[in-house]
Amino acid sequence: MEKYLYCIPNRCTGCNRCTYVCSMAKEGMFQPSKARLKISNLSRDGYSFPHICFHCKKADCIDACPEGAIIRNERDIVVIDAKKCNGCGDCVQACPYGMIEQYASGIAYKCDLCGGNPACVDECHFGALVFKEPDKITRKLRGAQMKQRMEEGAPEEKQRRIARNILESSERVPRTLHYMGVEEEV
């Protein structure tokens, strides 16, 4: 059975370690703005939300690409062939989750799950990002998150609206030391 990347919003602390390690793995520098995942920090609410590419079964980005630069590889991961990308940006607009971005040159980039071993998961010490085979709970979580499609707006706008929608509809879990897995000292 194949593995999927899942995000568990109530576990995200907003530390951005995942974005730092992703940008280092993909760009060779700590530049979270170039990470393949994003974190929405809703500071007034005290919550953060990780945004990931779902590698959709029916990926709108694949259909939108006029050059055929976005494909599903042998591991069923949606990837971009930068050599074929013409920089038109149609895929950026087509992604309902805002998870495809472009370099200044126009070339598109997105998560490729690090070839099957996502660096972000290893760096997420609170378990907000997990890479595993689906089970009943993770299927339900993924389904609820995938229903939050945004058809219009820039990637950052889509991400912000999705985070707000999901956090408003989710059960709020307080961030106590015990909840975070840290034993309190007496």
Side-chain angles (χ1 to χ4, degrees):
M1 185 176 275
E2 61 191 88
K3 291 183 176 182
Y4 292 100
L5 179 62
Y6 299 96
C7 68
I8 304 171
N10 282 333
R11 292 185 179 172
C12 182
T13 64
C15 69
N16 275 293
R17 290 173 63 119
C18 56
T19 61
Y20 281 102
V21 75
C22 176
S23 64
M24 178 53 91
K26 297 298 178 185
E27 301 297 326
M29 63 182 108
F30 293 115
Q31 188 177 3
S33 64
K34 297 291 185 225
R36 277 42 173 181
L37 74 160
K38 303 295 179 199
I39 303 295
S40 285
N41 288 306
L42 304 174
S43 54
R44 282 194 313 198
D45 298 317
Y47 279 89
S48 300
F49 184 85
H51 297 277
I52 59 171
C53 175
F54 291 108
H55 300 274
C56 306
K57 289 295 176 195
K58 187 200 171 307
D60 294 342
C61 58
I62 292 174
D63 295 338
C65 183
E67 300 298 320
I70 303 176
I71 60 165
R72 188 174 300 282
N73 71 12
E74 66 281 350
R75 300 187 78 194
D76 212 26
I77 299 169
V78 177
V79 296
I80 298 173
D81 181 345
K83 292 177 184 153
K84 289 184 179 178
C85 179
N86 68 6
C88 69
D90 290 352
C91 58
V92 175
Q93 290 304 313
C95 177
Y97 306 106
M99 295 312 302
I100 300 180
E101 297 186 78
Q102 291 175 285
Y103 292 108
S105 66
I107 302 300
Y109 63 93
K110 62 174 286 309
C111 173
D112 63 3
L113 296 176
C114 295
N117 187 24
C120 58
V121 173
D122 292 338
E123 197 61 33
C124 185
H125 299 292
F126 292 105
L129 298 170
V130 291
F131 188 61
K132 62 180 273 187
E133 293 178 358
D135 57 30
K136 185 177 180 179
I137 294 169
T138 52
R139 272 201 257 331
K140 183 178 177 183
L141 180 66
R142 182 181 173 92
Q145 291 171 3
M146 289 186 79
K147 286 181 183 174
Q148 300 296 322
R149 299 170 64 89
M150 298 291 161
E151 302 302 328
E152 296 181 13
E156 299 81 23
E157 266 180 81
K158 290 178 185 178
Q159 293 163 10
R160 177 71 93 205
R161 290 194 321 249
I162 288 169
R164 172 74 48 210
N165 289 350
I166 288 175
L167 288 173
E168 286 176 359
S169 67
S170 69
E171 182 179 327
R172 300 291 176 113
V173 179
R175 289 226 176 89
T176 63
L177 289 176
H178 175 64
Y179 170 75
M180 298 307 255
V182 177
E183 294 299 321
E184 295 184 52
E185 292 186 26
V186 182

